[in-house]
Amino acid sequence: TQLLEQSPQFLSIQEGENLTVYCNSSSVFSSLQWYRQEPGEGPVLLVTVVTGGEVKKLKRLTFQFGDARKDSSLHITAAQPGDTGLYLCAGASNEKLTFGTGTRLTIIP
Amino acid sequence: SAVISQKPSRDICQRGTSLTIQCQVDSQVTMMFWYRQQPGQSLTLIATANQGSEATYESGFVIDKFPISRPNLTFSTLTVSNMSPEDSSIYLCSATTGGWEQFFGPGTRLTVL
């Protein structure tokens, strides 16, 4: 069974601070995705990383895929209240996704 | 991309009854999936809905409990059968259009009394 552990599970920080969320697995994935989910909605894709060591930036969000394609991180710079949500990493293999345990992020104005 | 709608958005059901959830996509998609999510927690894949054939279930999920249909490339249903309070959850439908990205519906919040 493939497991993706995210840390921290919960994070509450002040607006303007920086944060990093980690996603770790013992399995290798073809690609790794990050989703954000808001209450009452389905997850929405933020980014897909495919190559080991790959770094992608999406405005204030920086995503990194580990060299061995087993782990990933999401760094948010100068967090805003609009960043509040449930962040989920997901590993892709055989056309299916295995979702991580999730990180509930709250940005306090 | 694909826009996905689900019906109903929420329901409260009695123990022992069954509920069928519908998932409609606004365009033809290659793969469709059904997930379960406890509020505030992660997603667990129930099954892959295959067009024209039986769904492929993940470990811990069986067809008798979660029968799935996919009669065409834009529509699927998930039935939660003989419900118990442990089935209370959010059920999400998703679809892909050929790449890795999955597009999700808004979910169906089910409460079983």
Side-chain angles (χ1 to χ4, degrees):
Chain A
T1 301
Q2 297 174 317
L3 293 175
L4 282 160
E5 296 285 341
Q6 287 183 235
S7 61
Q9 184 178 0
F10 298 96
L11 183 59
S12 183
I13 63 171
Q14 294 288 334
E15 179 177 359
E17 295 184 353
N18 303 330
L19 66 107
T20 302
V21 177
Y22 298 94
C23 173
N24 294 293
S25 173
S26 58
S27 301
V28 176
F29 293 99
S30 304
S31 68
L32 197 137
Q33 302 175 12
W34 285 91
Y35 289 80
R36 182 171 69 206
Q37 185 180 23
E38 299 188 26
E41 299 180 9
V44 176
L45 180 69
L46 296 174
V47 78
T48 301
V49 285
V50 179
T51 306
E54 183 176 3
V55 176
K56 279 192 174 179
K57 292 192 175 183
L58 183 65
K59 297 184 179 178
R60 294 177 293 100
L61 279 60
T62 301
F63 304 85
Q64 185 162 7
F65 202 11
D67 291 339
R69 304 206 331 265
K70 293 181 180 181
D71 56 87
S72 181
S73 64
L74 158 61
H75 182 79
I76 300 179
T77 303
Q80 303 293 313
D83 295 327
T84 293
L86 177 66
Y87 287 79
L88 296 159
C89 65
S93 63
N94 298 322
E95 297 180 310
K96 295 189 298 187
L97 292 180
T98 300
F99 278 85
T101 49
T103 296
R104 166 91 40 204
L105 174 64
T106 302
I107 307 302
I108 303 166
Chain B
S1 68
V3 177
I4 299 177
S5 59
Q6 288 184 231
K7 284 196 277 189
S9 58
R10 58 177 60 227
D11 206 342
I12 300 173
C13 301
Q14 294 297 319
R15 180 195 302 258
T17 64
S18 297
L19 175 71
T20 295
I21 302 168
Q22 298 180 5
C23 176
Q24 180 72 56
V25 191
D26 69 340
S27 58
Q28 292 186 353
V29 293
T30 51
M31 313 268 300
M32 295 183 75
F33 304 91
W34 287 97
Y35 291 86
R36 185 168 68 184
Q37 182 181 30
Q38 295 293 328
Q41 298 187 21
S42 189
L43 281 71
T44 300
L45 180 63
I46 297 172
T48 303
N50 300 308
Q51 196 261 326
S53 65
E54 192 172 287
T56 304
Y57 290 84
E58 297 300 305
S59 176
F61 298 96
V62 294
I63 188 171
D64 289 346
K65 177 66 175 178
F66 297 102
I68 288 171
S69 78
R70 189 180 171 192
N72 57 50
L73 293 174
T74 64
F75 185 77
S76 179
T77 66
L78 167 74
T79 299
V80 186
S81 303
N82 188 25
M83 288 183 285
S84 66
E86 292 71 35
D87 294 321
S88 296
S89 192
I90 300 169
Y91 292 86
L92 291 146
C93 169
S94 76
T96 63
T97 57
W100 284 116
E101 179 177 4
Q102 289 192 17
F103 302 92
F104 285 84
T108 295
R109 183 180 289 266
L110 171 63
T111 301
V112 184
L113 303 177

